[in-house]
Amino acid sequence: MDIFETCHKINDFLISNNENEARNELIKLLDFHEREKVPYSELVNHLIREAGLYPYLELETSSWQDKFVYEVFKANVGEAEELTLHREQSALLKKLLSGTNLAVSAPTSFGKSFVIDAYISINKPTNVVIIVPTIALTDETRRRLYKKFANEYKIITTTEVTLGEKNIFIFPQERAINYVDKIENLDILIVDEFYKASSKFDKERSPTLIKAILKLGKIAKQKYFLAPNISTLEDNPFTKDMEFYPLDFNTVYLEQQKLYEEVKGDEELKSKKLLEVIGAKNKKTLIYAGTYVNIERLSTLLIGNSEDKNTKLLHDFSEWLSVNYDYNWNLTNLVKRGVGIHNGRLHRSLSQIQVKLFEEEEGIDNLLSTSSIIEGVNTSAENVVIWSNKNGQVKINDFTYRNIMGRGGRMFRHFIGKIFILEQPPQETQTLLDIPFPEEILGGLDEVRYESELTKEQIAKIILYKEEMANLLGDGIFKKLQSENIFQTSNSELIKKIVIDMIENPDEWNGLGFLNSPYPIYWDRFLYKIIKIVPDGWDTKHSTFVEFVKILRNNWFKSIPELLGQLDKYEVDVDAFFKLERKVTFKLASLVSDINILQREILKDKNYDISRFMSWCSHAFLPSSVYQLEEFGLPRMISKKIHDAKVYNFLAGDLHIHKVLNDLNQIGLDRILKIPTLMEFDKYILEYFFDGIRVNK
């Protein structure tokens, strides 16, 4: 590469106001400098400054003017030292600090988290709510903010936590609802990946996210919504007082290789191309598989065509998986070969461990993933392979496709992200974000307040629903339940269905309290009744799900391999175990909670309180703090060893997660590492876990 000629070309782009092309050529030039170990000239630094990429400046070879810019654009982001922001980060932060409500669209590599951290450091708000799309992203955000702000703020990620004087709440939308009535003053509501409020992008979760935005947006002094790749934000009631601020400012360059043009649908050639891409040593590669079936298929391909990486770390991890999950599981065999699996079903701690190993030189090199990798974590790789152009059964759209590509490259690590495309990509389109009111939440809306945004049909539905519910429950009870905002589901029609059943068939609910029995033999009748209220979406036969719940009762007392042994006759393997456990902790627990609320009002003479069973379900029949610790990166089997060694009693009364974290910090890592039953990989996990609950001094 002729450096001077390239600089000339970049300068021409800048002069003609074609800044995107200038920045792309500049990033490729910086990649050349890094590969060839060439220091930046004063000219290269000048072009970096002109393109607004201030963090990339090399001070040793900069002019005094460039050094001055580097210092001027520094901001307090909660680190020991101030960090330099790029031009657009700085402009965004300035708008935020001025109190503007912002709906921002920016590329994945933009560095949006720095802006949030800087806002908290500089503005020092009392209460901040950050809504993230997944539990995995909850932990990643918590880890980042805990180190920076736990001395000043209570960082809350779980329900039933007493508030501090200053709080940062980090939740998926389902949990945010639980704190609506507990937060009196909210300085800023931050919604990450806010495009999921549209049913077009997330039909299942959009009603709950809309509900959270409505409730918390009402008390928030400021709102900051974030998303990638949105071209136009259509008028809607949820962002009507916000400035739409689209930013097309990339900090890495994405180099696309259209391998599908060579493959032409030939599966054998496609597999060969994948093996060629991942054959390059010391390259971190994300492989978007698209479906669980493809994950299985690719697992078989890689097990059959990859050699062991021969690192102690991965062999320790494989042995750990064999003992704690299943020696015959695909992941157990894959990790020895430097391959991991990321999907939305795995135990949270297991996903976090693999993302951590993906960052390690001696760890995982290739990560097979469903769409969870684009919505669950903020990890990036030098290479991204798009194996499939589907997300489940449907083809991915251009928006999702660009999100997947956006995982390629990372500031200061990979200037260029290489994208290998093995199936025909979708047609390029502009993404218009439209956020209508979901039908499911109409029953909980005030038709007068939202009259201008609702259709006549929707207003008629709301009025009819309120009349029906007032007739069924009595006007006072219905208004009380609406104002308390305690239902887990956002589906008002489902609530009505339960109410009607309790009123019309009260005898069928006789004995509901048997669910509180410690003996699962008494649970059958009501488990069947409850899951038949929502007959679809349990991912297995009803009889298998009922038996799974009963066997899961021993989750704390038996190992996962022991539970799988009991479940073998129901054809529940380790992957099905993950899937069904999530159904218990989310879907079943929410349904039981709503039934419990309604039975208090409708079956009051019976006085069945099944909150005990609801709590069991929501914590997968583990001690609540053990289940919550998995979100912090500590697997249940290690908590059990700590408990059995009498180092800490997880069954003690009146435990809450913040007390447990404080107690474990007091006990200290050194003492816990002396537990004789710990495996080598247990110790690796514990070091990572403790790193995530310590505060920067």
Side-chain angles (χ1 to χ4, degrees):
M1 177 182 281
D2 186 319
I3 294 174
F4 183 77
E5 276 304 311
T6 306
C7 288
H8 195 338
K9 183 179 175 183
I10 293 165
N11 192 55
D12 285 346
F13 280 132
L14 288 169
I15 290 169
S16 61
N17 288 321
N18 192 347
E19 194 175 88
N20 273 1
E21 281 300 318
R23 202 162 47 248
N24 285 336
E25 292 301 320
L26 177 59
I27 290 167
K28 286 189 269 184
L29 178 62
L30 299 184
D31 178 69
F32 172 80
H33 278 73
E34 183 181 57
R35 282 186 286 108
E36 300 299 321
K37 305 288 187 289
V38 179
Y40 297 177
S41 65
E42 191 172 313
L43 173 59
V44 170
N45 277 311
H46 174 73
L47 292 172
I48 290 171
R49 177 184 137 201
E50 288 295 308
L53 291 166
Y54 310 138
Y56 284 154
L57 286 165
E58 266 188 10
L59 297 187
E60 294 80 7
T61 55
S62 294
S63 67
W64 72 264
Q65 294 99 326
D66 296 337
K67 288 177 183 175
F68 178 73
V69 168
Y70 186 86
E71 292 300 321
V72 165
F73 279 83
K74 279 186 175 179
N76 180 358
V77 297
E79 303 273 0
E81 295 182 1
E82 292 186 337
L83 296 178
T84 300
L85 304 181
H86 61 64
R87 185 186 64 215
E88 299 305 321
Q89 279 176 322
S90 183
L92 179 56
L93 177 61
K94 186 178 178 182
K95 276 182 174 287
L96 208 55
L97 292 173
S98 71
T100 308
N101 290 319
L102 291 171
V104 176
S105 172
T108 306
S109 63
F110 182 86
K112 298 183 283 288
S113 57
F114 275 122
V115 177
I116 293 171
D117 299 359
Y119 172 87
I120 295 170
S121 294
I122 297 167
N123 241 24
K124 303 197 181 302
T126 302
N127 285 315
V128 177
V129 170
I130 304 174
I131 298 179
V132 295
T134 64
I135 294 288
L137 204 51
T138 298
D139 181 70
E140 186 177 305
T141 308
R142 177 199 63 79
R143 276 179 173 268
R144 189 185 84 240
L145 296 179
Y146 194 91
K147 285 180 173 293
K148 295 179 178 183
F149 302 117
N151 280 324
E152 192 177 349
Y153 288 87
K154 194 165 188 176
I155 314 290
I156 298 174
T157 60
T158 57
T159 55
E160 301 161 18
V161 175
T162 307
L163 274 59
E165 283 186 25
K166 298 176 80 176
N167 306 280
I168 299 174
F169 305 87
I170 310 163
F171 296 130
Q173 53 267 23
E174 294 86 354
R175 287 186 190 168
I177 298 293
N178 291 297
Y179 277 88
V180 167
D181 296 322
K182 297 176 186 175
I183 304 170
E184 291 182 10
N185 298 299
L186 178 55
D187 294 283
I188 188 166
L189 170 64
I190 300 168
V191 181
D192 196 10
E193 311 289 349
F194 81 93
Y195 67 88
K196 287 179 170 288
S198 170
S199 56
K200 176 182 170 185
F201 292 103
D202 197 331
K203 189 170 178 58
E204 187 179 340
R205 285 181 148 175
S206 66
T208 312
L209 180 53
I210 288 288
K211 192 174 173 184
I213 289 172
L214 280 173
K215 300 284 184 183
L216 291 166
K218 202 189 313 183
I219 59 169
K221 294 172 188 167
Q222 189 175 0
K223 291 182 286 189
Y224 179 44
F225 294 180
L226 305 160
N229 306 322
I230 302 297
S231 311
T232 307
L233 181 60
E234 300 284 279
D235 288 342
N236 68 84
F238 315 106
T239 60
K240 66 178 181 182
D241 59 343
M242 304 177 75
E243 177 187 336
F244 179 52
Y245 192 43
L247 293 162
D248 184 14
F249 189 92
N250 57 305
T251 58
V252 299
Y253 175 72
L254 301 179
E255 179 185 285
Q256 299 182 50
Q257 298 192 27
K258 300 175 181 179
L259 299 182
Y260 63 90
E261 292 176 348
E262 297 175 48
V263 170
K264 295 178 181 173
D266 184 326
E267 287 297 313
E268 191 176 330
L269 183 55
K270 186 179 174 188
S271 298
K272 185 182 174 186
K273 288 290 181 186
L274 171 65
L275 293 171
E276 284 175 7
V277 171
I278 66 173
K281 300 297 180 188
N282 303 317
K283 301 280 188 183
K284 298 293 182 179
T285 303
L286 286 173
I287 304 165
Y288 174 74
T291 66
Y292 289 103
V293 172
N294 280 343
I295 293 256
E296 288 288 316
R297 191 176 298 149
L298 289 173
S299 297
T300 304
L301 175 70
L302 296 179
I303 288 170
N305 291 276
S306 304
E307 296 178 356
D308 278 12
K309 193 178 175 185
N310 286 323
T311 72
K312 183 179 184 302
L313 182 59
L314 292 181
H315 274 275
D316 287 348
F317 184 32
S318 180
E319 184 185 0
W320 186 86
L321 290 170
S322 181
V323 169
N324 292 294
Y325 287 94
D326 185 349
Y327 72 92
N328 207 25
W329 186 24
N330 271 343
L331 185 60
T332 308
N333 295 306
L334 282 168
V335 294
K336 287 185 287 190
R337 295 164 168 81
V339 181
I341 294 175
H342 195 287
N343 61 51
R345 292 175 179 169
L346 293 173
H347 282 158
R348 294 147 185 167
S349 52
L350 204 48
S351 297
Q352 292 167 30
I353 291 162
Q354 290 187 85
V355 170
K356 162 72 174 164
L357 287 169
F358 192 61
E359 303 289 326
E360 301 260 21
E361 189 176 334
E362 296 296 305
I364 288 167
D365 290 328
N366 306 300
L367 202 52
L368 293 172
S369 172
T370 58
S371 62
S372 64
I373 206 71
I374 60 170
E375 59 190 26
V377 286
N378 277 327
T379 194
S380 301
E382 185 171 358
N383 297 336
V384 172
V385 176
I386 303 179
W387 170 267
S388 171
N389 59 12
K390 289 188 175 179
N391 183 2
Q393 298 302 309
V394 298
K395 284 199 172 185
I396 56 175
N397 54 30
D398 183 53
F399 174 82
T400 303
Y401 174 73
R402 281 189 283 164
N403 272 1
I404 298 167
M405 286 205 305
R407 294 293 159 191
R410 179 186 284 186
M411 280 188 82
F412 301 111
R413 289 185 65 177
H414 310 300
F415 284 110
I416 296 179
K418 295 181 175 65
I419 317 299
F420 300 90
I421 309 162
L422 287 164
E423 282 197 355
Q424 179 85 37
Q427 189 174 348
E428 268 190 56
T429 57
Q430 297 286 300
T431 301
L432 277 65
L433 184 61
D434 182 28
I435 312 177
F437 277 107
E439 292 291 311
E440 294 93 329
I441 71 165
L442 290 179
L445 291 180
D446 182 339
E447 73 279 10
V448 177
R449 181 174 181 194
Y450 298 107
E451 184 180 9
S452 59
E453 289 88 14
L454 294 164
T455 65
K456 289 179 180 177
E457 291 79 9
Q458 286 176 322
I459 291 171
K461 274 187 183 179
I462 295 170
I463 294 169
L464 178 61
Y465 181 83
K466 288 182 175 179
E467 287 174 355
E468 288 176 328
M469 290 295 280
N471 288 334
L472 289 165
L473 290 168
D475 194 45
I477 292 174
F478 174 59
K479 283 182 177 171
K480 182 187 84 151
L481 291 175
Q482 270 207 314
S483 65
E484 287 175 349
N485 193 49
I486 49 178
F487 289 121
Q488 295 290 308
T489 181
S490 297
N491 189 335
S492 46
E493 286 300 317
L494 176 58
I495 298 297
K496 186 171 78 173
K497 182 179 178 181
I498 298 169
V499 169
I500 290 170
D501 193 79
M502 284 185 178
I503 290 171
E504 291 183 352
N505 308 299
D507 292 344
E508 289 185 16
W509 294 88
N510 284 342
L512 183 62
F514 277 117
L515 286 173
N516 288 329
S517 168
Y519 305 107
I521 194 172
Y522 295 112
W523 297 353
D524 286 64
R525 183 166 74 89
F526 279 101
L527 280 176
Y528 277 110
K529 181 166 182 61
I530 288 169
I531 64 179
K532 282 176 182 174
I533 290 170
V534 188
D536 300 324
W538 298 100
D539 286 333
T540 189
K541 293 186 294 188
H542 288 184
S543 57
T544 300
F545 187 77
V546 168
E547 293 305 320
F548 177 83
V549 176
K550 289 158 66 179
I551 288 170
L552 196 66
R553 173 71 180 90
N554 290 311
N555 211 358
W556 177 240
F557 307 104
K558 293 190 175 183
S559 69
I560 288 174
E562 287 172 328
L563 295 175
L564 289 171
Q566 289 182 262
L567 289 162
D568 189 50
K569 61 184 171 183
Y570 303 106
E571 299 182 343
V572 173
D573 61 10
V574 64
D575 289 305
F577 184 94
F578 293 133
K579 181 173 64 175
L580 295 177
E581 188 181 84
R582 282 179 67 83
K583 290 294 177 184
V584 172
T585 54
F586 289 100
K587 189 169 181 176
L588 182 62
S590 296
L591 198 49
V592 170
S593 173
D594 291 341
I595 286 168
N596 199 38
I597 291 162
L598 292 169
Q599 67 83 23
R600 284 190 206 127
E601 303 296 341
I602 300 168
L603 308 172
K604 30 179 101 164
D605 56 322
K606 316 280 188 190
N607 195 24
Y608 302 125
D609 181 0
I610 51 171
S611 53
R612 184 184 185 189
F613 182 74
M614 186 271 292
S615 179
W616 284 342
C617 290
S618 65
H619 300 127
F621 296 92
L622 295 166
S624 61
S625 56
V626 169
Y627 181 74
Q628 290 167 343
L629 281 171
E630 290 207 321
E631 294 182 15
F632 288 73
L634 188 66
R636 62 194 69 177
M637 51 286 289
I638 300 180
S639 294
K640 189 73 162 63
K641 288 180 180 179
I642 294 170
H643 178 85
D644 289 346
K646 296 184 168 45
V647 172
Y648 193 77
N649 181 11
F650 286 106
L651 297 176
D654 198 32
L655 283 186
H656 57 80
I657 190 62
H658 287 266
K659 175 175 168 41
V660 173
L661 292 171
N662 185 58
D663 290 347
L664 291 175
N665 263 320
Q666 291 296 317
I667 292 167
L669 175 62
D670 291 344
R671 184 179 166 194
I672 291 174
L673 288 178
K674 291 174 183 171
I675 295 171
T677 54
L678 291 176
M679 298 177 69
E680 276 302 303
F681 200 73
D682 286 333
K683 295 174 184 177
Y684 175 85
I685 294 170
L686 280 161
E687 286 171 359
Y688 179 51
F689 165 71
F690 269 89
D691 182 63
I693 63 170
R694 291 195 194 104
V695 184
N696 285 347
K697 298 297 183 186

